[in-house]
C-alpha cells in the first residue's frame, strides 16, 4: 500500500480543531484509494513559546524540510506580541523551505453565500499566485532613533529577477496545466516604477513562451474594485507578496469567507505546506464551532500536489455535498459543530 508521511503543525487557537477534521477526511479518503498516511506532529506555536521560550529550532526546520507535505493549522496567539510567531514560525518556514509560491484558489462553491450581488460560482472562480519569499516580507530595512521624535523606519521591498521570474513562470505553467486562459499580473506600475518594472518585463518575456495564454495587467487598487464588480474577469493572478496577502483576504470574502479559504505554500521541488488561511480565531477556540472546510480543502490541495488528483477530486466532491447540508459557512452558524462537519464530509466520500 502506498504511504505518505505528512508533517502536522496544529499550531494555535482553532488550528488543532480544524487539523483534526482534515486528518479525519484524509484517512477516510485514503481508505478508498488504498493510501496510508503517517502523521508526524510538530508542537509549534504560541503555547509552546509561552511555556518554553522556544519559537522554532534549527533542527525542527531541517526535519520539516524532509517532508514533501506539511499540514498547518494556524499560527498566532493573543498573548504573544504580534510578529513574533508570525515571523518566527510561519514566515521563517516559508522562507527557509523556499516555498516561493503561495497558491490561493478563490472559488465560490454552489450553495455558498457571497456578499457580491448577482455573482455566482460561474463568475467567482480564479486563483491567486502570490510570491511568497520576497517583497516587503523579506525584512529588509531598519529603524533609527527609535522612540525619539527623529525616528526613521525603513521597510524595503526586495524583488529579484530570479524570484519574480520563477513565480511568474509557475503562474503560466499553472494556467497551462489547469485549462486556464489568462494570467493577470497585479502590480502598481504607475507608482512602484522600480519593482513593478522588473515584474512587468519578466512577465512579458515569460508570456511569450505561452502562446495559448493571454497575458494581462491590472493595478492592485483597481483589482480590489474588479474583485467586487467583475470577478469573472480573472482566471490566474500573479502578484507580489504584500499585494497577494491583501487581495487574498478580499478573495476569501467573495468566495464565502475564511471558513472555506485554503492555500498552499509551494516549493515545487521541496517541502510544501498547506493551510486554511483564516488564522487562529482565538474567540472561537475550543468551542467546536469553527468551520473546518478550509482545512479540509487544504488537504485536497495537498493531495493534488502529491500527485493524487483523484483523491483530491473525491475530497472536493465530498466538501461540495457537505456544503449543501450546511446552513452557513460562518463559525457557530453552520447548523453543525466542527466535528460534525468533519463527519459529514467523511460520510460524503463515496
Ligand atoms: C497570511 C497571513 C500571514 C501573512 C501572516 C499571519 C504573517 O496573513 O498567510 O496571509 O501575512 O502572510
Ligand atoms: Mn494574510
Amino acid at each position: 500500500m502506498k504511504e505518505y508521511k505528512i508533517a502536522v503543525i496544529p499550531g494555535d487557537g482553532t488550528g488543532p480543531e480544524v487539523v483534526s477534521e482534515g486528518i479525519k477526511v484524509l484517512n477516510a479518503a485514503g481508505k478508498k484509494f488504498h493510501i496510508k498516511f503517517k502523521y508526524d506532529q510538530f508542537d509549534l506555536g504560541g503555547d509552546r513559546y509561552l511555556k518554553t521560550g522556544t519559537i522554532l529550532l534549527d533542527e525542527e526546520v531541517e526535519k520539516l524540510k524532509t517532508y514533501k507535505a506539511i499540514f498547518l493549522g494556524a499560527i498566532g496567539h493573543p498573548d504573544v506580541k504580534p510578529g513574533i510567531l508570525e515571523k518566527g514560525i510561519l514566515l521563517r518556514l516559508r522562507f527557509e523551505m523556499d516555498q516561493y509560491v503561495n497558491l490561493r484558489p478563490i472559488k465560490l462553491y454552489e450553495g455558498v453565500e457571497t456578499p457580491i450581488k448577482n455573482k455566482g460560482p460561474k463568475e467567482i472562480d480564479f486563483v491567486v499566485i502570490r510570491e511568497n519569499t520576497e517583497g516587503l516580507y523579506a525584512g529588509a530595512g531598519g529603524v533609527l532613533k527609535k522612540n525619539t521624535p527623529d525616528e526613521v523606519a525603513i521597510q524595503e521591498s526586495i524583488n529579484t529577477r530570479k524570484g519574480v521570474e520563477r513565480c511568474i513562470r509557475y503562474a503560466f505553467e499553472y494556467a497551462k496545466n489547469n485549462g486556464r486562459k489568462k494570467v493577470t499580473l497585479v502590480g502598481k506600475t504607475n507608482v512602484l516604477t522600480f519593482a513593478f518594472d522588473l515584474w512587468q518585463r519578466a512577465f512579458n518575456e515569460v508570456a511569450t513562451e505561452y502562446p495559448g495564454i493571454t497575458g494581462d495587467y491590472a493595478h492592485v487598487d483597481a483589482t480590489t474594485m474588479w474583485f467586487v464588480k467583475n470577478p469573472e474577469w480573472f482566471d490566474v493572478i500573479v502578484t507580489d507578496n504584500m499585494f497577494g496577502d491583501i487581495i487574498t483576504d478580499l478573495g476569501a470574502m467573495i468566495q464565502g469567507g475564511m471558513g472555506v479559504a485554503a492555500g498552499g505554500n509551494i516549493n515545487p521541488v521541496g517541502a510544501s505546506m498547506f493551510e486554511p488561511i483564516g488564522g487562529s480565531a482565538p474567540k472561537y477556540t475550543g468551542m467546536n464551532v469553527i468551520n473546518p472546510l478550509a482545512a479540509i480543502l487544504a488537504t485536497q490541495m495537498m493531495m493534488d500536489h502529491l500527485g493524487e488528483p483523484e483523491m483530491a477530486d473525491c475530497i472536493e466532491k465530498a466538501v461540495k455535498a457537505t456544503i449543501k447540508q450546511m446552513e452557513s459557512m460562518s463559525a457557530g452558524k453552520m447548523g453543525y459543530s466542527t466535528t460534525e462537519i468533519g463527519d459529514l464530509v467523511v460520510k460524503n466520500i463515496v
Side-chain angles (χ1 to χ4, degrees), residues 88-119:
I89 301 176
L90 187 60
L91 298 183
R92 185 169 165 211
L93 288 177
R94 287 175 181 171
F95 292 174
E96 288 204 28
M97 297 197 279
D98 206 22
Q99 295 164 338
Y100 65 84
V101 161
N102 196 328
L103 180 64
R104 297 188 163 179
I106 311 293
K107 181 168 178 176
L108 178 68
Y109 286 106
E110 202 68 60
V112 173
E113 207 182 322
T114 173
I116 311 293
K117 208 164 89 186
N118 299 329
K119 301 289 176 189

Side-chain angles (χ1 to χ4, degrees), residues 105-107 124-127 171-172 174-183 212-214 234-236:
I106 311 293
K107 181 168 178 176
I124 301 172
D125 180 10
F126 58 95
V127 221
F172 277 93
Y174 183 93
K176 189 175 113 187
N177 297 331
N178 291 277
R180 302 273 185 178
K181 297 282 174 269
K182 181 163 82 172
V183 179
I213 295 161
T214 309
F234 297 108
D235 207 1
V236 174

Side-chain angles (χ1 to χ4, degrees), residues 86 90-91 94 104 130 137 245 275:
E86 292 85 345
L90 187 60
L91 298 183
R94 287 175 181 171
R104 297 188 163 179
R130 160 185 175 191
Y137 279 68
D245 177 46
E275 52 173 340

